[in-house]
Amino acid sequence: DFIDINMGCPVPKIVRNGEGSALMLDPARAEKIVRACVRATDKPITVKTRTGYGIGDFTAVEFCRRMQGAGAAAITLHGRTRALGYAGESDYAQIETVKNALSVPLFGSGDVTEENAARLIDFCDGLAIGRGAVGDPWIFSRILGLDIEKTNRFDLISEKIYPDRLFFCKRIHIHNTPPDRKLSRFIDKIIPFEPVFYQKIFDERNR
């Protein structure tokens, strides 16, 4: 177990509170947070952050060094600035630069797929996958070279992953109720539209 402090969230409502990526603008405060956490627990404290705050900024080397000095046991670095959010491409060259400046493990993040995972792992100690796993939890198995049969997806999803959300989504397809578009896209990414599958969920839920 470990405690991860997110100093990389770019969401405006988080940043306005001085949290997430906003802590990159106040490294002294970020240091105090890490030191306080290290003193308060025996669990490793890790930090998640970004390459910088504004467009074109690259402040992660100094920031991550300070987090390391404050006692962070490892750092996860997303290869975009806060200003970019999730636009553009993750800058792996900057991640490598930061990795070379640290002595603690560094995990690379941003645009991680099975195609480019090997590129990051060449110089990082590990990978952090966020959005890439949404709707595709099999990405970890593919990166590890494991063979996961697609035919197992229906049973896995219906029995273990979001059964309540699937029940809601079957209403979208079967009863044509007003859809939650974000949720519908999420489910459709996991499995194709299969009326029989959704009907099966409906029947099970209404027994």
Side-chain angles (χ1 to χ4, degrees):
D1 293 345
F2 61 95
I3 299 173
D4 187 51
I5 305 174
N6 189 344
M7 300 186 183
C9 179
V11 176
K13 66 179 181 180
I14 301 298
V15 174
R16 282 196 297 268
N17 286 336
E19 304 158 357
S21 294
L23 287 166
M24 298 193 72
L25 298 176
D26 192 353
R29 180 167 174 248
E31 276 184 304
K32 290 180 181 178
I33 291 171
V34 173
R35 291 186 190 281
C37 290
V38 170
R39 288 195 302 269
T41 180
D42 292 331
K43 296 183 184 299
I45 302 299
T46 63
V47 170
K48 183 189 294 96
T49 190
R50 288 176 169 253
T51 54
Y53 189 85
I55 292 178
D57 289 351
F58 181 41
T59 58
V61 170
E62 179 60 25
F63 185 83
C64 290
R65 278 178 173 166
R66 292 181 69 163
M67 298 309 103
Q68 174 181 273
I75 290 173
T76 297
L77 184 64
H78 186 104
R80 292 182 177 86
T81 63
R82 183 266 163 180
L84 282 176
Y86 298 103
E89 295 182 355
S90 184
D91 193 326
Y92 289 178
Q94 290 188 345
I95 294 177
E96 184 174 12
T97 298
V98 176
K99 165 58 187 172
N100 292 335
L102 301 177
S103 58
V104 297
L106 183 132
F107 299 90
S109 178
D111 301 335
V112 181
T113 65
E114 59 265 37
E115 289 80 19
N116 63 22
R119 179 181 165 201
L120 261 182
I121 208 65
D122 275 345
F123 54 84
C124 289
D125 297 285
L127 309 175
I129 303 175
R131 292 176 304 139
V134 176
D136 185 17
W138 300 272
I139 186 173
F140 304 101
S141 298
R142 292 198 304 273
I143 288 176
L144 293 173
L146 302 178
D147 183 21
I148 300 297
E149 291 290 339
K150 290 184 178 180
T151 52
N152 292 335
R153 292 187 177 189
F154 288 164
D155 291 339
L156 178 65
I157 294 165
S158 61
E159 295 175 6
K160 298 180 180 179
I161 302 178
Y162 305 122
D164 290 335
R165 293 189 179 190
L166 280 169
F167 173 73
F168 178 81
C169 279
K170 63 86 194 161
R171 291 169 51 205
I172 297 173
H173 292 299
I174 296 175
H175 296 298
N176 203 26
T177 56
D180 178 323
R181 288 195 172 91
K182 184 176 181 181
L183 184 57
S184 182
R185 287 196 301 269
F186 172 78
I187 298 300
D188 286 340
K189 184 178 178 182
I190 299 178
I191 53 175
F193 172 43
E194 294 284 350
V196 174
F197 176 63
Y198 287 102
Q199 186 64 55
K200 180 180 177 181
I201 296 172
F202 175 75
D203 292 342
E204 289 292 326
R205 185 63 178 267
N206 287 280
R207 281 184 175 182

